[in-house]
Amino acid sequence: MSTIYNAMSDENIVRLRITSLDRTPEEITTLVGLMCDRSWHIGDKRSKTVISEITNGWILNSGLPKSASLETHIQELLERLTPHASKIQTLSHQASVELSIVVYASTPPALNFDKTVIRLLSQLGASLDIDLYVTDNESS
């Protein structure tokens, strides 16, 4: 599946993020049928901050090293999620479901999502969030 062309990326992070005011992370795990990599409850303090969480949260990472290609991260995560798509889509009516992509790159990558990725995001009821950070490689 040729989903994204990402030249010269230094680090890629891809994860599914589900947040809810009504569903606890434990309920989300039960409803989705997958264990998450990280979760929090309303009122929990964010690590290394004084900020309290205002939603319950559940995150499933691609599980790949940050050095893996963006295409590989997305393919791996979506393949894991596909068998659970109908459960996640049902949950998306009462929670926020988002595919989160974070790219740290030395040059701006070309991002191209093919129709397979778009279709799977729709089947999940997921929005797409891309954070792109271009790092400065010039030495001063």
Side-chain angles (χ1 to χ4, degrees):
M1 165 174 22
S2 178
T3 55
I4 293 188
Y5 305 97
N6 185 5
M8 299 182 67
S9 276
D10 301 323
E11 288 189 356
N12 298 298
I13 302 165
V14 177
R15 57 190 165 220
L16 184 75
R17 176 184 168 111
I18 301 175
T19 56
S20 174
L21 292 171
D22 303 318
R23 299 288 186 173
T24 66
E26 296 80 14
E27 291 173 321
I28 294 169
T29 294
T30 300
L31 291 168
V32 171
L34 288 169
M35 294 296 297
C36 64
D37 295 307
R38 186 166 60 96
S39 66
W40 62 88
H41 293 88
I42 293 173
D44 286 353
K45 297 279 188 213
R46 281 193 199 163
S47 178
K48 301 177 185 174
T49 73
V50 296
I51 299 171
S52 294
E53 295 293 350
I54 59 171
T55 62
N56 294 308
W58 185 100
I59 291 180
L60 180 67
N61 296 314
S62 69
L64 297 175
K66 292 178 181 180
S67 60
S69 73
L70 189 53
E71 179 179 356
T72 304
H73 275 278
I74 293 171
Q75 185 175 5
E76 174 68 24
L77 186 57
L78 291 180
E79 284 178 6
R80 288 173 53 204
L81 293 171
T82 298
H84 306 275
S86 64
K87 295 175 187 174
I88 295 169
Q89 185 178 59
T90 298
L91 184 58
S92 75
H93 298 292
Q94 51 194 280
S96 172
V97 177
E98 172 185 276
L99 182 69
S100 171
I101 297 173
V102 180
V103 177
Y104 295 92
S106 54
T107 60
L111 300 174
N112 178 29
F113 299 90
D114 75 15
K115 61 186 175 186
T116 303
V117 171
I118 302 301
R119 185 177 68 248
L120 288 172
L121 287 176
S122 177
Q123 289 172 353
L124 294 170
S127 62
L128 176 63
D129 177 53
I130 301 172
D131 294 319
L132 173 60
Y133 301 96
V134 178
T135 58
D136 183 10
N137 278 347
E138 293 181 28
S139 46
S140 317

